[in-house]
């Protein structure tokens, strides 16, 4: 079996994932609940979290709005 080079994520991707994950942890909600509050399909949210580079700006803004409404 060939050796594979480990995937190195961009620091910006890590920062966005940390922001979203931190928001969910602080609010004590699941990814599905975050998707519901941001008006994003749960399957779309799951796909975007796996490949954060595919997240659309509008979706990111919706998640940030949920964070603002929660006072975080």
């Amino acid at each position: 079996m060939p050796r594979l080079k480990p995937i190195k994520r961009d620091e910006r991707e890590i920062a966005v994932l940390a922001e979203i994950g931190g928001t969910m942890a602080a609010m004590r909600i699941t990814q599905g609940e975050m998707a519901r509050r941001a008006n994003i399909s749960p399957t779309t949210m799951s796909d975007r979290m796996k490949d954060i580079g595919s997240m659309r700006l509008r979706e990111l803004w919706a998640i940030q709005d949920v964070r603002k409404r929660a006072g975080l």
Side-chain angles (χ1 to χ4, degrees), residues 20-66:
I20 295 170
T23 300
M24 290 188 302
M27 294 175 68
R28 295 182 179 196
I29 60 174
T30 63
Q31 186 172 304
E33 179 63 18
M34 174 60 85
R36 188 187 67 76
R37 291 183 186 194
N39 200 22
I40 302 170
S41 165
T43 55
T44 300
M45 179 79 170
S46 179
D47 291 343
R48 302 295 194 234
M49 294 298 285
K50 291 176 188 170
D51 179 20
I52 198 68
S54 69
M55 182 171 277
R56 296 180 178 177
L57 192 53
R58 185 171 298 158
E59 294 165 344
L60 179 60
W61 287 343
I63 292 168
Q64 290 173 340
D65 289 344
V66 170

